[in-house]
Amino acid sequence: MPTTPGTVAWHEMDAETALDRLGASPHGLTHEEASSRLGEYGPNEISVARGVSPWRILLHQFTSPLIYILLVAMIVTLAIGHHADAAVIAAVLVVNAVIGFIQEFRAENAMQALLEMVAPRAAVRRDGERREIEARGLVPGDIVLLESGDIVPADLRLIEESNLLVDEAILTGESVAVGKNAATLETGKGASLGDRLNMAFSGTAVASGRGRGVVVATGSRTQIGLIAGEMQATERALTPLQTRMKRFGNLVSVVILAVSVVVFFVGVSRGQSAGEMFLTAVAVAVSAIPEGLPVVMTVALAVGVRRMAKRNAIVRRLPAVETLGSCTVVLSDKTGTLTENRMTAQTLAAGGARYSFRGEGLDPAGEILGADGAQVDPEHNEPLRRALLAGVLNNEADLRRRDDGDGWRAIGDPTEVALLVAAGRAGLDRETLLDEHPRTHHVPFESDRQFSATINRGPDGRESVYVKGAPERVLEMCDRAIGAGGETPLDRESILEQADELARDGLRLLALAAGDTDEALDATRRGEPAGLSFLGLVGMIDPPRAEVRDAVRGCHRSGIRVIMCTGDHAATASAIAGRIGLEPDLEPGATPEVVTGAELARMDDDRLREVVARVRVFARMNPTQKLRIVGALRAIGEVVAVTGDGVNDAPALKAAHIGCAMGQTGTDVAKAASEMVLADDNFATIYAAVEEGRTAFSNIRKATNFLVAGAIGMVLAVLGAFVLGTPIPLLPAQILWVNVVTNGIQDVAMAFEPGERDQLERPPRSMREGVMSVYLIEQSVLVGMLFAVAAIGAYAWEIHQGMSGEYARTAATTMLVVFLALHIGSCRSEFRSIFRKSPLSNPVLLIGTLTALGVHVGSMYLGPTRALLRFEPLEARSWLTIIMFAPLVVVLVEAHKAVRGPGARRARR
């Protein structure tokens, strides 16, 4: 009976033992055995839970505490016959639900994208013959045949390979295809996926070569299947805005209920009828609800979506807009996010000197510089030219200008492409050189050999050997070196020290050698080159994006910590971290601390929380470990943004407060698991998006301040009238009119307010901080008290002048509308004076305020609104009184900013 797949570390055993444990043979299973195992293990496909239904998504739009309050208010107003009020509240609910539904419905397709990564068909040996079958029919023990261009259909323990290179970037994040080796590994149980060279994983792509492997895991037991399971088990974190609005809604609910209950029972205890007091309590509740807040929040986020899209950040879920503004940590992938996702030759050590290359991307035009920074002419530098020539002639890649003439197109292994680009900067063209030096023999690269070699015939008819490979392996073939003055004895120790130095800089190294003696030619034809001259070392790296360093520095200024988490090697990660300034306080010459996956595997959760609080570089990580890091960061109170492009990033992208996928190089799985997609794959776009996120929340906070001040004013006006024993100065319909119609026009326009100049210099907001700060609550209470006094005063004054109750209420309502029209200007900045903000910098708000005033004035003269709201046209005398007292709100807010704002507090310190 074969061992159950998924329970064994297959990379730790030899191929024969693996076949034995699986009850398989190198010739494949029989049809009957495969059918039996298919019934036992099930099809090779990832099981996916049912997606979220549209109805569930729609109902989810009504789960906010503020929405609960509005629903209750709508039901109560319907019950007491206030149908117009109920209709206005219903309209608010519908607008909010429709916008939220559209955004969320479009985002629920993560698992479908993951399924599309699995290969549809596979080549296997069944009954001793090669057959093509549907990949879903694979079972443990099947022998799968791999060729260049194939998608690996299941997790395989390789039993045979020839020049097999597999692109595992979707699982490990490595930018270079991995050379596979069927031999038994000695890496131990802590080996990361990238170190399991005798395994091929489902969903990865064969870059070149051939191989044969036995299926050890199918479906949900494969590495990609385990990621699917993690994605399904991982719940999306509540965004900071959702958390804050939940707390705010709960607080508003408690306050409204408490005030309404107190009003009802106090009134009844004073001899008022229960029916009359119930209507009064409803009026108080309606006046306290900031009905426009759900809509203004949705609109502010939608405006943020549009602004972010202009800056190449595509938001897929509305709450994510604000999340970046609250972000305290960006956990970034390296390959393709911080780097360009292409290998580049950085350094060439040849002839006792070191050279560097300067140019743009794949364009072979460029320069070669010496150690002193001066340009070098390869035509007059024989050691440099011979090393570059070897890198071109022993090369299987191709570099050509695109058909449209715009840019260059590379085909082949990234390291070989890098050699062609470097040679191009010396004026060496591969096609021209191959015409002049045709190849007569080739020893292809194999992972166990660690080198490749060619024999080429030169223009003079003489043949020469060219070798490239791992430095230690190539040095074994050499007995001399090419120096500035010709051939010199080989100093193996000096070259190895130089290789170690370059490797510590995070460079991937290739050694180059050549020879033209009969010994060298004969040995190469036997497959074991010898008697060669050492030409030099090429150091390559996937370089950081040009704009990343500035973006990282900007994140530091904004109080955001950037952490790199990659599947790549520790030395490479450390080198990139140093180049982009990931640790701003690092002393010159020092290297960032790096934690590897093997080290993290030995940590318990408490220790991991300590580590993530200070370490900024994590290397050789697998998907589960990246997910643990996100969990640890969340546990210590960080608001986490995660960037990534591969399938391996998907669980962490989903678990973060905001996942940011790459739009160009990112897999569909990563995009579907994310809340935001970076259309230009540029880390700097995140920094731009942070600014827009902070602007969105700032505008929500400003609108909330505006609405809450009005709500407090109306509650106090109703309570004040009740305490004074006078009629309520505003009817419930008039309160809704102010809250939803006139205020609603202005608070929605506040969503278009541009960001403030020092926004990115401020630290991220604490998760414990509410929608409104103590400073703004203080300001709202003061302004609300002024509103209440103004409303009661206007009502009492008009009654004193002998006007009717309806006229007096019209005057009180108009007083509030004009006060609020001026107050919205004061709310445009938390701390800056209204007189330092141009009205034209937000034309939408200016138009909205004038519209709100116009709509209110029109309502006093239009028949239907006059009847519905019980308004009467005001006399000039009343207008003059309103205009005279309205500026008091500006005076009050300006005085509060001057006395209690940050500038005043700094002056006192």
Side-chain angles (χ1 to χ4, degrees):
M1 187 68 184
T3 300
T4 303
T7 62
V8 176
W10 299 100
H11 61 282
E12 296 177 14
M13 63 180 68
D14 60 63
E16 290 184 7
T17 304
L19 289 168
D20 183 60
R21 294 282 291 272
L22 289 162
S25 92
H27 305 293
L29 301 174
T30 64
H31 176 74
E32 292 75 14
E33 179 64 21
S35 298
S36 172
R37 295 190 183 193
L38 188 62
E40 180 181 354
Y41 296 116
N44 177 34
E45 56 189 12
I46 300 170
S47 58
V48 178
R50 287 185 59 189
V52 181
S53 72
W55 285 109
R56 186 174 175 184
I57 295 172
L58 182 61
L59 291 175
H60 184 258
Q61 310 311 311
F62 297 92
T63 57
S64 154
L66 270 178
I67 299 298
Y68 295 152
I69 297 171
L70 290 176
L71 285 169
V72 171
M74 184 182 71
I75 293 169
V76 171
T77 49
L78 276 174
I80 62 178
H82 290 218
H83 298 102
D85 300 346
V88 172
I89 296 174
V92 171
L93 292 169
V94 169
V95 170
N96 183 72
V98 168
I99 297 175
F101 173 83
I102 292 171
Q103 287 286 328
E104 194 169 332
F105 181 75
R106 291 163 57 189
E108 295 297 334
N109 59 349
M111 295 309 301
Q112 184 58 42
L114 186 58
L115 295 180
E116 293 172 2
M117 301 293 296
V118 180
R121 298 191 66 79
V124 300
R125 293 195 70 83
R126 290 270 178 92
D127 296 314
E129 298 178 357
R130 187 184 193 278
R131 295 183 182 178
E132 289 270 339
I133 66 169
E134 288 190 7
R136 69 187 305 273
L138 285 175
V139 296
D142 259 325
I143 301 299
V144 173
L145 311 177
L146 299 176
E147 295 181 354
S148 180
D150 286 349
I151 300 296
V152 180
D155 283 3
L156 311 177
R157 169 59 170 91
L158 295 172
I159 58 177
E160 182 182 294
E161 52 80 22
S162 176
N163 305 324
L164 183 62
L165 292 174
V166 179
D167 182 352
E168 297 181 335
I170 64 167
L171 284 178
T172 67
E174 280 201 74
S175 53
V176 178
V178 179
K180 292 297 181 177
N181 190 326
T184 307
L185 299 182
E186 298 179 357
T187 54
K189 294 184 179 180
S192 67
L193 295 183
D195 292 326
R196 300 178 190 180
L197 302 182
N198 55 15
M199 300 287 294
F201 299 108
S202 178
T204 59
V206 178
S208 63
R210 302 186 309 279
R212 193 159 56 107
V214 58
V215 175
V216 298
T218 59
S220 298
R221 291 176 291 271
T222 62
Q223 289 298 322
I224 199 171
L226 294 175
I227 291 173
E230 287 176 348
M231 286 180 64
Q232 293 187 65
T234 301
E235 294 186 6
R236 292 192 184 276
L238 282 179
T239 69
L241 181 61
Q242 289 170 323
T243 302
R244 291 184 178 107
M245 292 309 298
K246 185 176 180 180
R247 287 201 304 261
F248 181 74
N250 290 336
L251 177 62
V252 170
S253 304
V254 171
V255 170
I256 290 174
L257 181 61
V259 172
S260 300
V261 169
V262 168
V263 167
F264 179 82
F265 283 106
V266 170
V268 171
S269 68
R270 290 187 176 185
Q272 303 289 333
S273 71
E276 181 183 344
M277 291 314 303
F278 179 76
L279 293 176
T280 303
V282 169
V284 171
V286 170
S287 66
I289 300 172
E291 287 92 349
L293 187 54
V295 172
V296 73
M297 185 173 74
T298 303
V299 172
L301 296 177
V303 170
V305 167
R306 182 172 61 83
R307 288 175 172 173
M308 285 184 174
K310 289 182 178 179
R311 303 179 78 167
N312 293 316
I314 311 302
V315 175
R316 304 177 65 252
R317 293 181 178 86
L318 275 182
V321 173
E322 183 274 337
T323 306
L324 269 179
S326 300
C327 168
T328 59
V329 170
V330 176
L331 184 69
S332 179
D333 188 25
K334 177 186 72 68
T335 305
T337 307
L338 297 173
T339 65
E340 297 180 5
N341 196 20
R342 63 175 182 83
M343 295 305 291
T344 300
Q346 296 276 303
T347 298
L348 172 60
R354 187 177 295 186
Y355 306 93
S356 60
F357 302 88
R358 186 166 65 188
E360 294 293 330
L362 294 173
D363 190 344
E367 299 174 338
I368 300 179
L369 307 179
D372 58 358
Q375 187 172 349
V376 176
D377 181 5
E379 288 296 325
H380 299 90
N381 190 314
E382 187 61 17
L384 171 62
R385 191 177 188 283
R386 287 191 66 179
L388 292 173
L389 181 67
V392 174
L393 296 180
N394 181 359
N395 200 306
E396 301 300 308
D398 195 9
L399 181 66
R400 298 186 181 184
R401 188 174 288 278
R402 294 185 181 277
D403 295 338
D404 59 5
D406 184 18
W408 294 79
R409 179 171 61 93
I411 302 172
D413 182 84
T415 58
E416 296 196 327
V417 171
L419 289 173
L420 293 184
V421 174
R425 287 167 185 166
L428 301 179
D429 177 69
R430 180 174 182 267
E431 290 189 17
T432 301
L433 288 174
L434 285 177
D435 287 341
E436 297 174 354
H437 301 76
R439 182 179 296 177
T440 60
H441 186 75
H442 181 213
V443 180
F445 176 87
E446 290 189 8
S447 55
D448 57 345
R449 278 201 295 252
Q450 295 187 305
F451 74 90
S452 64
T454 63
I455 298 178
N456 297 72
R457 181 179 294 112
D460 58 1
R462 295 184 61 186
E463 290 185 318
S464 298
V465 175
Y466 299 99
V467 172
K468 71 176 189 298
E472 296 86 351
R473 188 71 180 90
V474 172
L475 281 171
E476 294 174 358
M477 309 171 186
C478 301
D479 52 25
R480 56 196 179 278
I482 300 296
E487 291 191 349
T488 63
L490 183 69
D491 186 348
R492 182 176 280 99
E493 294 303 319
S494 175
I495 294 172
L496 288 175
E497 286 179 10
Q498 192 174 45
D500 287 341
E501 180 184 341
L502 293 173
R504 283 195 296 272
D505 289 337
L507 299 176
R508 296 176 185 268
L509 300 181
L510 271 182
L512 301 168
D516 55 9
T517 64
D518 291 341
E519 176 195 358
L521 292 168
D522 291 342
T524 301
R525 289 191 176 96
R526 293 195 302 270
E528 289 292 337
L532 303 179
S533 297
F534 184 81
L535 299 178
L537 293 169
V538 182
M540 302 182 185
I541 198 169
D542 179 9
R545 291 175 176 272
E547 62 285 339
V548 161
R549 188 176 181 86
D550 287 341
V552 169
R553 189 182 296 118
C555 286
H556 292 157
R557 285 198 305 269
S558 301
I560 300 171
R561 193 158 57 101
V562 181
I563 298 176
M564 178 195 299
C565 184
T566 179
D568 214 336
H569 295 279
T572 305
S574 178
I576 294 296
R579 293 184 183 207
I580 64 176
L582 206 62
E583 293 201 29
D585 300 326
L586 201 64
E587 295 181 2
T591 57
E593 180 182 357
V594 181
V595 172
T596 65
E599 292 169 338
L600 188 143
R602 296 191 291 270
M603 296 180 189
D604 59 20
D605 290 343
D606 290 338
R607 173 61 179 155
L608 180 58
R609 292 187 192 109
E610 294 176 13
V611 168
V612 298
R614 58 179 175 80
V615 175
R616 296 178 185 243
V617 185
F618 293 86
R620 226 59 183 142
M621 293 287 150
N622 63 41
T624 302
Q625 291 173 327
K626 191 168 187 177
L627 190 60
R628 276 191 72 197
I629 292 171
V630 173
L633 288 167
R634 286 176 53 183
I636 62 176
E638 304 282 10
V639 178
V640 187
V642 171
T643 75
D645 55 1
V647 173
N648 59 316
D649 298 315
L653 288 167
K654 185 177 178 183
H657 291 98
I658 179 168
C660 309
M662 300 298 108
Q664 296 177 0
T665 59
T667 61
D668 288 342
V669 182
K671 294 174 188 175
S674 299
E675 284 78 18
M676 189 172 83
V677 176
L678 306 181
D680 56 359
D681 283 16
N682 193 336
F683 182 86
T685 300
I686 295 176
Y687 183 57
V690 166
E691 181 179 6
E692 297 301 343
R694 291 189 176 186
T695 298
F697 179 79
S698 179
N699 290 345
I700 291 171
R701 169 173 273 186
K702 293 169 185 175
T704 304
N705 177 29
F706 172 71
L707 290 172
V708 167
I712 291 173
M714 292 179 201
V715 168
L716 292 178
V718 173
L719 290 177
F722 178 69
V723 170
L724 295 172
T726 63
I728 297 174
L730 281 81
L731 298 173
Q734 293 167 343
I735 291 171
L736 272 176
W737 172 259
V738 175
N739 278 356
V740 177
V741 181
T742 58
N743 281 8
I745 295 173
Q746 295 171 96
D747 59 28
V748 168
M750 181 66 86
F752 295 86
E753 185 70 18
E756 299 195 47
R757 289 177 302 184
D758 64 342
Q759 205 155 248
L760 284 175
E761 305 300 323
R762 304 173 190 169
R765 293 176 299 278
S766 167
M767 283 282 281
R768 294 185 294 274
E769 186 179 341
V771 176
M772 293 181 67
S773 63
V774 173
Y775 165 80
L776 286 182
I777 292 172
E778 187 180 273
Q779 186 182 108
S780 295
V781 170
L782 290 173
V783 172
M785 291 170 66
L786 176 63
F787 285 171
V789 170
I792 293 173
Y795 178 83
W797 174 252
E798 296 299 345
I799 293 294
H800 180 72
Q801 296 298 310
M803 307 305 291
S804 68
E806 288 191 352
Y807 184 95
R809 287 193 175 95
T810 304
T813 305
T814 304
M815 179 74 83
L816 281 179
V817 169
V818 176
F819 266 56
L820 286 162
L822 291 177
H823 183 48
I824 193 73
S826 297
C827 291
R828 291 181 62 198
S829 174
E830 290 185 43
F831 309 116
R832 293 182 69 200
S833 168
I834 186 176
F835 303 111
R836 297 178 63 189
K837 299 274 288 186
S838 168
L840 300 179
S841 63
N842 186 355
V844 178
L845 180 60
L846 179 61
I847 294 169
T849 300
L850 295 175
T851 301
L853 289 170
V855 167
H856 179 72
V857 172
S859 69
M860 292 187 284
Y861 297 93
L862 192 63
T865 51
R866 281 186 61 185
L868 179 66
L869 300 171
R870 302 184 193 177
F871 279 164
E872 290 186 8
L874 297 181
E875 299 175 358
R877 169 189 58 79
S878 299
W879 278 112
L880 184 61
T881 303
I882 291 169
I883 292 170
M884 233 168 64
F885 284 99
L888 286 175
V889 67
V890 175
V891 173
L892 176 62
V893 174
E894 289 297 308
H896 184 260
K897 287 180 181 179
V899 174
R900 297 286 293 159
R905 289 198 293 272
R906 283 195 297 268
R908 286 195 293 272
R909 287 198 295 267

